[in-house]
Amino acid sequence: MEELTGRSGGSASRAGIVGVYPGSFDPITNGHLDLILRGSRIVDRLVVAVLRNEHKKPLFSVEERVEMLQEVVQAIPSVQVDSFDGLLVDYTARQNATVIFRGIRAISDYEYELQMALMNRRLAPDIETVFMMAGEAYSFISSRIVKEVIRLGGNIGGLVPPSVEARLRQRLLVPEP
Ligand code: PNS
């Protein structure tokens, strides 16, 4: 059976199945939060991991993004927030995780996600990428589009957690409506 399941009864199995949900999260949206909730029901421990060495200039620092995520997921005991740099598969292995979660909103996401998943599988065949679909209500949201809308004075109510909306208004100097 052990050969079939790949589980040995060692420390990893005692700790349960661990998943990593990586991303930029600049900032977290309700689409991300929906995926965190879905992922946390599948694994015993879910690590939401913010990428550190981004080339693109983020609106929020890694520390701010981690803090915003922590505020939002604090009520879910099996979810932890962390940051990482280097290869995602190396970080995933260090966490004793066997699953990487990624969200897919539309077909347009698929090509890039497939490329990453296949490269990660080549680098670490024991780590499986699991694609999750966000709820339909969130299928059009991205951090980029939310930032653009609030910057231009549009309503982003219901698209990000209230604490994140407050931070966005503060950072972008956008007054309350
Ligand atoms: O939220 P994003 O920006 O789409 O997340 C992209 C992320 C962080 C998942 C990806 O850039 C990543 O895994 N970076 C780490 C570097 C790495 O492992 N690259 C090889 C994978 S193809």
Side-chain angles (χ1 to χ4, degrees):
M1 190 63 182
E2 197 179 296
E3 299 88 78
L4 287 177
T5 61
R7 295 194 196 168
S8 63
S11 60
S13 110
R14 270 201 304 278
I17 300 177
V18 183
V20 168
Y21 177 34
S24 305
F25 304 105
D26 185 38
I28 178 178
T29 67
N30 282 347
H32 294 130
L33 184 55
D34 181 58
L35 292 180
I36 291 171
L37 289 168
R38 287 171 197 280
S40 70
R41 289 188 213 117
I42 298 174
V43 292
D44 299 288
R45 183 166 70 90
L46 179 66
V47 184
V48 182
V50 180
L51 177 65
R52 268 194 175 274
N53 57 352
E54 269 184 300
H55 298 301
K56 43 189 172 177
K57 203 174 162 356
L59 180 61
F60 294 101
S61 70
V62 171
E63 289 67 30
E64 287 171 318
R65 283 178 273 157
V66 166
E67 206 174 279
M68 280 188 271
L69 277 158
Q70 272 163 345
E71 281 167 15
V72 170
V73 303
Q74 62 185 1
I76 322 169
S78 62
V79 177
Q80 278 171 240
V81 184
D82 194 12
S83 61
F84 77 103
D85 50 23
L87 280 178
L88 173 61
V89 288
D90 290 345
Y91 173 77
T92 303
R94 283 201 300 279
Q95 289 293 320
N96 290 321
T98 49
V99 183
I100 293 171
F101 287 111
R102 289 289 290 170
I104 300 245
R105 288 161 301 191
I107 292 290
S108 49
D109 285 337
Y110 182 73
E111 213 167 318
Y112 168 62
E113 294 297 333
L114 179 69
Q115 198 179 15
M116 273 205 305
L118 293 179
M119 175 54 85
N120 284 335
R121 180 189 282 170
R122 185 172 191 274
L123 295 169
D126 294 341
I127 295 174
E128 198 60 38
T129 298
V130 171
F131 292 131
M132 291 185 291
M133 273 77 69
E136 306 83 84
Y138 307 117
S139 62
F140 63 97
I141 311 180
S142 68
S143 301
R144 185 190 61 77
I145 220 159
V146 162
K147 284 183 283 194
E148 185 173 318
V149 169
I150 192 168
R151 212 176 243 138
L152 298 172
N155 181 1
I156 59 158
L159 304 184
V160 296
S163 57
V164 173
E165 178 170 348
R167 290 240 200 183
L168 277 165
R169 288 193 184 285
Q170 207 177 23
R171 178 60 43 94
L172 297 170
L173 305 175
V174 177
E176 296 279 336

